[in-house]
Amino acid sequence: MCGITGFTGSQPALPFLLQGLSRLEYRGYDSAGITLVNGKALRTWKTKGRLAQLEELLSKDLAESCGIGHTRWATHGVPSNMNAHPHMNEEETISVVHNGIVENYAELKEELMENGYVFHSETDSEVIVQLLDYYYNEKPVMKEALLKTVKRLTGSYAVCVTTIFEPDTIYVAKKESPMVLGQSPEGTFCASDAPALLEYTREIYPMQDGQIAILNADRIDLFDLKGKRQELKWIHFPYDIQSAQKGGYDSYMMKEIHEQPSAIRETLRGRFHGNKTVMPVIDQLDADWDSITNTYFIACGTAYHACIYAEILYRRYTGKMSSVIPASEFRYSNPSLNEHTLCIFVSQSGETADTLAALRLAKSKGCITISVVNVLGSSISRQTDAVLYTAAGPEIAVASTKAYTTQLVLLHVLVLKLAELYGIRVRGISRLIRDLRHLPEITEEVLAKEPQMKELAKMLKDQKDAYFIGRQLDYPTALEGALKLKEISYVHADAYYAGELKHGPIALIEENTVVTAMATQPEIAAKTISNIKETVARGARVILITDPFMSAQEFEYVVRIPDISPELAAVPCAVLLQLFAYYGAMEKGCDIDKPRNLAKSVTVE
Ligand code: M6R
């Protein structure tokens, strides 16, 4: 979730570039950089760390009127000065900033290296500037070089280019990563998001996928990928800076809930080749997969719920047993740890102290360690033998949403990968992979049920307790639904296996108790329905979340998820329960992004 700014005009570019980047800080970043064009040369400054550190490198009297800026949220290559953007070609005549993921960067890099190009960073983005250089040398027309370059890229990009060949011009291209344009009497602007522009103009143009723009001081020209001119239609941006940073939503949590389709899409990007999974870091592990005797999934909080989901899948797909242990318990559980043990650690932040402590123990015993982490270069990612990144982007709200659903999907692919490595053929693999690929659209569909969840959440207004029930793969969903609700609304919420109710918890059910029940697993759904009826008989108000086919006439409140493999129902259900918790907390007037007593990253044991 990098931030990009660009300016060309009659005024110095630097003030806009820096204020714009600071307005984009909410996107999260670990390094920052700018390039200014002074006619004869490109001057680039970049550094790991905060914008303040970049500003320390800059002298006060930089009057260049064309430049680009970048804040980097690392995805390929750790946060470092070298990996920070902008990236330049060898002659330092072209400078590029990029937001997105170039999926085919390894192939492109190899091809360019065969042509004598030398790379200086670990990033995927550097291939863009080298490709531009290559095509510009073939024919020195930058627009054509840019069109040829972006046509070679698979994946997502928002790209901004400056060059000494046209010192007053900025070239911009966009596909699946955001980019907005703006114009004022002082010049023309581009940025990853509108807050960067709002001090200068409220008339903005959000670029569409497959467009390129050429910015000059007094005009912007827009083209499609065939080079055909397109019309630029300005829109008036209605939000103030603060709500714009939240994408127009009331809170970061709501913004992050709505980012899930793209977060899932990015996390799954490049993970399949036909019916096979693509995880080179796992293939490269020095492991004798046939000799694995124990497997552990280890994490805290929401990530722990993702582990429970993964453990059920692992048993189902591989027929092998594994254990799931909260990281805070792991060291005291006498786990059986040796070189035949596989330990999988899951963490959004990659800094959770309990998870790190469990990881250190596993490493000291020679276990094979894999992590599923969201923050690149974090402690957990650095210390495991192999790391797989969720591409959720920065998660600011304390309550985890997009990190959870991206953990579910990445763990799902990891379990399929492990089955492949064990030589086990997973039944229905084609359908599973087809549905995994379809999850971003499924998530969009389920987000459209927001008004229904808002209405249902009104039931929580005067409640002190709420219960979530489910069986099999619906059980981690119940746990996560209960955690979300208690975290942000302070309603006491518990989750139970639906079949366990009658062994005790049903004593808690009384007239009007709110019970949210998931019944998405066909092999067990009839039994779950009987369990739900047991609560209805005791006066509970039941919200039933189920698939499109389950007969549910006898229930008053039914929410249907789209048709999807039952193994993936956990994703749409999680989204519904996030919305339910969100509106439940709104009913109670809670501060949603900053719940009491909680920290985003728990770095103490
Ligand atoms: O950064 P991590 O994923 O390791 O954090 C683990 C938990 O602290 C975290 O999931 C916590 O439970 C969230 N606030 C849940 O919304």
Side-chain angles (χ1 to χ4, degrees):
M1 295 275 283
C2 309
I4 288 179
T5 52
F7 174 82
T8 180
S10 55
Q11 307 288 319
L14 191 62
F16 167 75
L17 298 181
L18 292 177
Q19 77 78 38
L21 292 178
S22 76
R23 296 291 185 204
L24 299 176
E25 275 189 313
Y26 73 92
R27 297 167 69 84
Y29 69 103
D30 44 57
S31 55
I34 58 161
T35 291
L36 296 175
V37 197
N38 82 349
K40 293 182 286 306
L42 299 179
R43 304 173 73 190
T44 294
W45 297 262
K46 54 186 187 173
T47 181
K48 180 179 169 189
R50 312 300 294 172
L51 275 174
Q53 286 161 264
L54 175 67
E55 285 182 60
E56 277 170 25
L57 303 178
L58 303 168
S59 59
K60 298 274 169 282
D61 52 351
L62 293 166
E64 289 87 345
S65 57
C66 178
I68 55 177
H70 191 264
T71 43
R72 174 172 187 254
W73 163 263
T75 59
H76 289 69
V78 294
S80 69
N81 291 353
M82 206 47 112
N83 290 334
H85 296 213
H87 292 288
M88 294 207 278
N89 60 340
E90 206 61 33
E91 287 75 34
E92 301 193 354
T93 52
I94 306 172
S95 179
V96 166
V97 291
H98 165 231
N99 172 25
I101 296 175
V102 182
E103 263 172 48
N104 58 337
Y105 84 99
E107 296 148 53
L108 293 171
K109 189 167 175 175
E110 205 177 300
E111 180 187 315
L112 286 158
M113 284 167 76
E114 278 166 17
N115 282 298
Y117 281 86
V118 178
F119 283 76
H120 301 285
S121 76
E122 303 156 330
T123 64
D124 53 335
S125 311
E126 199 181 349
V127 296
I128 301 174
V129 71
Q130 307 288 29
L131 270 178
L132 273 170
D133 178 276
Y134 177 84
Y135 288 121
Y136 190 82
N137 285 338
E138 252 185 17
K139 183 175 177 196
V141 179
M142 192 49 78
K143 180 184 162 195
E144 286 186 29
L146 180 63
L147 285 170
K148 284 180 192 157
T149 297
V150 295
K151 281 179 194 156
R152 298 290 315 278
L153 307 178
T154 333
S156 54
Y157 56 79
V159 174
C160 201
V161 183
T162 48
T163 167
I164 59 160
F165 305 123
E166 292 172 60
D168 301 320
T169 306
I170 293 175
Y171 286 85
V172 187
K174 179 222 166 347
K175 182 190 157 219
E176 291 176 32
S177 290
M179 182 67 87
V180 296
L181 307 175
Q183 185 166 6
S184 80
E186 292 86 40
T188 59
F189 315 84
C190 64
S192 296
D193 200 358
L197 305 188
L198 292 186
E199 267 178 38
Y200 293 77
T201 178
R202 283 188 165 265
E203 305 308 306
I204 64 157
Y205 177 76
M207 284 180 73
Q208 308 300 304
D209 285 347
Q211 288 183 327
I212 67 160
I214 304 178
L215 276 58
N216 281 294
D218 57 350
R219 59 164 214 282
I220 297 178
D221 297 291
L222 197 65
F223 302 92
D224 67 13
L225 286 187
K226 292 190 180 117
K228 202 166 147 244
R229 190 172 285 280
Q230 301 217 305
E231 196 188 345
L232 204 131
K233 287 189 193 137
W234 297 109
I235 58 165
H236 183 74
F237 192 77
Y239 305 112
D240 60 19
I241 286 175
Q242 240 204 345
S243 51
Q245 286 173 331
K246 294 175 186 162
Y249 295 103
D250 290 337
S251 65
Y252 283 109
M253 182 177 173
M254 191 46 109
K255 174 171 178 268
E256 287 160 8
I257 289 174
H258 281 267
E259 281 171 351
Q260 289 177 109
S262 73
I264 292 170
R265 184 175 294 113
E266 291 303 313
T267 299
L268 290 176
R269 197 177 278 288
R271 289 292 177 206
F272 302 109
H273 184 71
N275 278 348
K276 292 265 180 249
T277 57
V278 178
M279 286 190 162
V281 292
I282 305 298
D283 294 325
Q284 285 153 18
L285 277 173
D286 182 21
D288 174 6
W289 296 105
D290 292 333
S291 76
I292 301 289
T293 48
N294 291 307
T295 299
Y296 292 100
F297 290 93
I298 304 143
C300 296
T302 285
Y304 169 69
H305 299 154
C307 285
I308 298 177
Y309 170 79
E311 187 271 336
I312 299 172
L313 286 182
Y314 185 82
R315 197 166 358 117
R316 190 175 288 189
Y317 292 166
T318 70
K320 294 175 188 281
M321 295 306 290
S322 63
S323 308
V324 50
I325 304 186
S328 52
E329 291 294 308
F330 186 71
R331 282 176 299 160
Y332 317 103
S333 317
N334 299 319
S336 165
L337 304 176
N338 56 47
E339 64 276 22
H340 302 298
T341 309
L342 172 62
C343 291
I344 298 166
F345 299 87
V346 183
S347 173
Q348 187 283 130
S349 62
E351 301 295 346
T352 301
D354 285 317
T355 313
L356 257 173
L359 167 58
R360 289 192 187 117
L361 173 68
K363 283 194 76 84
S364 72
K365 302 285 182 187
C367 307
I368 301 160
T369 58
I370 298 175
S371 59
V372 170
V373 172
N374 193 41
V375 179
L376 199 130
S378 54
S379 304
I380 292 172
S381 75
R382 288 199 308 271
Q383 292 175 40
T384 39
D385 299 324
V387 52
L388 297 166
Y389 288 108
T390 48
E395 196 180 59
I396 294 169
V398 167
S400 191
T401 52
K402 58 179 181 168
Y404 178 63
T405 47
T406 54
Q407 283 162 357
L408 294 182
V409 299
L410 195 53
L411 283 165
H412 205 128
V413 185
L414 174 60
V415 173
L416 291 173
K417 173 93 231 167
L418 292 171
E420 272 172 32
L421 291 166
Y422 298 145
I424 295 164
R425 203 177 165 279
V426 174
R427 269 183 45 213
I429 183 82
S430 318
R431 176 162 202 256
L432 276 172
I433 291 183
R434 186 200 69 197
D435 283 4
L436 271 160
R437 288 181 191 275
H438 195 39
L439 265 178
E441 290 76 38
I442 296 277
T443 310
E444 288 284 5
E445 252 182 79
V446 109
L447 282 169
K449 295 193 182 275
E450 186 174 337
Q452 191 183 1
M453 298 318 290
K454 183 176 179 181
E455 193 54 35
L456 290 170
K458 288 185 181 155
M459 284 188 201
L460 293 168
K461 190 164 175 33
D462 300 314
Q463 296 290 319
K464 286 206 171 53
D465 310 288
Y467 299 100
F468 293 77
I469 59 173
R471 301 175 76 132
Q472 291 297 313
L473 283 168
D474 286 331
Y475 178 62
T477 309
L479 285 169
E480 179 58 11
L483 179 66
K484 279 301 79 95
L485 185 62
K486 65 186 124 185
E487 260 187 312
I488 60 170
S489 74
Y490 319 135
V491 171
H492 162 251
D494 260 333
Y496 298 106
Y497 288 110
E500 282 294 295
L501 280 178
K502 55 187 172 298
H503 299 289
I506 202 158
L508 297 166
I509 306 294
E510 52 188 14
E511 204 58 33
N512 283 334
T513 304
V514 176
V515 175
T516 305
M518 270 66 63
T520 68
Q521 304 298 300
E523 81 283 4
I524 198 84
K527 291 214 162 74
T528 308
I529 296 288
S530 311
N531 301 142
I532 300 168
K533 286 185 182 160
E534 289 157 14
T535 68
V536 175
R538 281 147 186 93
R541 277 186 293 167
V542 171
I543 300 166
L544 173 66
I545 299 182
T546 188
D547 62 35
F549 314 109
M550 176 81 60
S551 136
Q553 308 89 306
E554 62 268 62
F555 296 102
E556 194 175 347
Y557 310 108
V558 180
V559 187
R560 304 252 181 210
I561 59 166
D563 183 16
I564 191 159
S565 301
E567 289 80 1
L568 297 171
V571 174
C573 287
V575 175
L576 291 172
L577 295 186
Q578 292 161 1
L579 291 166
F580 184 59
Y582 182 90
Y583 283 108
M586 291 285 272
E587 287 291 329
K588 303 250 170 198
C590 301
D591 179 349
I592 292 189
D593 281 338
K594 292 196 188 74
R596 69 186 181 205
N597 306 340
L598 295 176
K600 181 66 185 160
S601 182
V602 185
T603 52
V604 288
E605 285 179 40

